[in-house]
Amino acid sequence: MRITILLLLLITFSALFPQTPSKNYIINSHNYYYGSGISTDENRAREEAIRELSEMISVTVASEFEHIGTETNMQYEEFASSVIKTYATSTLKNVEQNRTVAPDGQIEVFCYMSKEVVKKLYNERAEMAYKMYINANENIERGNLAFAFKNLYFASLLIKSIPEDRVIVHDKEISLEIPRTLNRTMQNIQFKLIGDEMK
């Protein structure tokens, strides 16, 4: 009876406190981006690990953009570089790490991030672009074209930072609707000469 209770407690605690995945599991699972750094200075080791992790993400993003660019004749290099630059300030806040100290005093920092986390970032960007698109349409209806153009411009930039050829949010393909709305609004603008002055 006592052994059964101990086993139940052990299983409960294991479920409540999941273990950190091992380095080998992370590398072999193909579900993570990762990098490692070794140094006597822990901060330097972490910087190296983050650099490797960033490079792994960059290569993946660039290859995804290359695939899309081939299909749609887009200049993917510009888009890929703009995405990569954003990781240092946004995505890499979600980095997890394992730290081990060797007998010679060298510290290895192994940083990793789930590919699901990166995918979630893309979804958040798409959602934000959708909100800007809705806000732009509301401003167009009110006649606030300056605010509408600003929203459409930033929404367009966000869409370009997502390595998918079609971005659909709430059953609306905003990757098409945003430039379409921008073009339609520009075409509907009419200019009138209300006076002139000679000096």
Side-chain angles (χ1 to χ4, degrees), residues 31-35 49-65 80-81 83-95 111-119 121-122 125 161 163:
N31 294 324
Y32 294 85
Y33 298 109
Y34 56 86
I50 292 291
R51 187 187 62 75
E52 281 191 10
L53 170 63
S54 300
E55 284 180 4
M56 183 177 263
I57 294 173
S58 299
V59 168
T60 304
V61 171
S63 66
E64 287 172 354
F65 270 106
S81 62
V83 178
I84 290 159
K85 287 174 185 174
T86 64
Y87 280 110
T89 56
S90 56
T91 313
L92 297 182
K93 291 178 181 176
N94 301 313
V95 171
C111 292
Y112 60 95
M113 184 189 322
S114 165
K115 290 182 178 179
E116 286 299 314
V117 170
V118 178
K119 187 176 179 182
L121 175 69
Y122 292 145
R125 286 182 181 178
S161 74

Side-chain angles (χ1 to χ4, degrees), residues 1-11:
M1 181 69 176
R2 191 175 294 172
I3 293 172
T4 306
I5 292 170
L6 286 172
L7 283 172
L8 285 172
L9 285 172
L10 185 62
I11 291 168

